[in-house]
Amino acid sequence: MSDILTDESWIRYAIRLAQRAEENGEVPVGAVLIKNEKVIAEGWNAVIETNDPSAHAEILVIRKAGKVLENYRLIDTTLYVTLEPCVMCMGAISQARVKRLVFGAFDEKRGCVCNALNLSDTPFLNHRIDWQGGILEETCSQLLKDFFAVRRQKNSGRFK
């Protein structure tokens, strides 16, 4: 079992990746996949840049990791992400057989680890994912809040 300091350091790494997404005008979510304490793949949201609605940070990381490991099963890996994954990402995380998921901010509306849905331990999926949420939650949440506040401010003058 990983300790909280290790989890925090990897979430900090994911936060730096989320900031890269924000620099590109994307929703600031970053993710990094670790195996044996080494980075296998990293990524950030790129849906606008790629014109691909599936280009969430988690999906991009899973795709890269499969190529690096030359396997579609990401056995004995830990995925660190700044935001609780959505239904699409949780499906991919389960299919990839990621062992452990650690995330920062909870997503009460769309999060599918333990909020809108609980896909980490659902009976119809044959893989159970160990997870820990709320690591550096305030920092991860604030990154998203600030991003959307700026977005709303920019868009408020559109319809005057």
Side-chain angles (χ1 to χ4, degrees), residues 31-33 40-74 77 79 88-89 91-98:
V32 58
L33 188 85
I40 302 302
E42 63 182 38
W44 52 88
N45 276 3
V47 297
I48 298 167
E49 177 186 338
T50 61
N51 296 308
D52 178 356
S54 71
H56 289 195
E58 302 94 321
I59 299 295
L60 297 175
V61 166
I62 288 169
R63 288 176 183 161
K64 289 176 189 175
K67 290 178 182 173
V68 169
L69 296 175
E70 297 181 334
N71 195 334
Y72 68 103
R73 298 283 193 228
L74 307 178
T77 59
L79 179 64
M88 173 183 69
C89 293
I93 291 165
S94 177
Q95 291 298 315
R97 304 297 194 265
V98 170

Side-chain angles (χ1 to χ4, degrees), residues 12-153:
R12 285 186 205 288
Y13 188 107
I15 289 168
R16 289 191 299 275
L17 297 170
Q19 291 166 335
R20 304 251 325 249
E22 185 173 29
E23 290 167 8
N24 294 332
E26 304 276 358
V27 175
V29 176
V32 58
L33 188 85
I34 306 303
K35 185 170 184 171
N36 299 324
E37 294 303 315
K38 293 183 182 166
V39 174
I40 302 302
E42 63 182 38
W44 52 88
N45 276 3
V47 297
I48 298 167
E49 177 186 338
T50 61
N51 296 308
D52 178 356
S54 71
H56 289 195
E58 302 94 321
I59 299 295
L60 297 175
V61 166
I62 288 169
R63 288 176 183 161
K64 289 176 189 175
K67 290 178 182 173
V68 169
L69 296 175
E70 297 181 334
N71 195 334
Y72 68 103
R73 298 283 193 228
L74 307 178
I75 306 299
D76 295 326
T77 59
T78 300
L79 179 64
Y80 291 91
V81 64
T82 56
L83 179 65
E84 180 180 357
C86 70
V87 66
M88 173 183 69
C89 293
M90 277 305 291
I93 291 165
S94 177
Q95 291 298 315
R97 304 297 194 265
V98 170
K99 182 176 184 176
R100 186 165 179 262
L101 169 68
V102 179
F103 62 89
F106 289 90
D107 186 344
E108 293 179 13
K109 292 181 182 177
R110 291 171 212 81
C112 289
V113 176
C114 60
N115 275 294
L117 291 173
N118 178 353
L119 295 181
S120 61
D121 192 31
T122 188
F124 66 83
L125 294 175
N126 62 356
H127 177 65
R128 301 294 172 263
I129 301 161
D130 294 331
W131 64 274
Q132 176 68 47
I135 305 297
L136 297 175
E137 179 179 7
E138 183 56 38
T139 304
C140 294
S141 293
Q142 197 61 51
L143 186 64
L144 291 159
K145 287 175 188 173
D146 292 348
F147 174 81
F148 286 112
V150 168
R151 214 55 184 293
R152 281 189 296 278
Q153 186 178 11

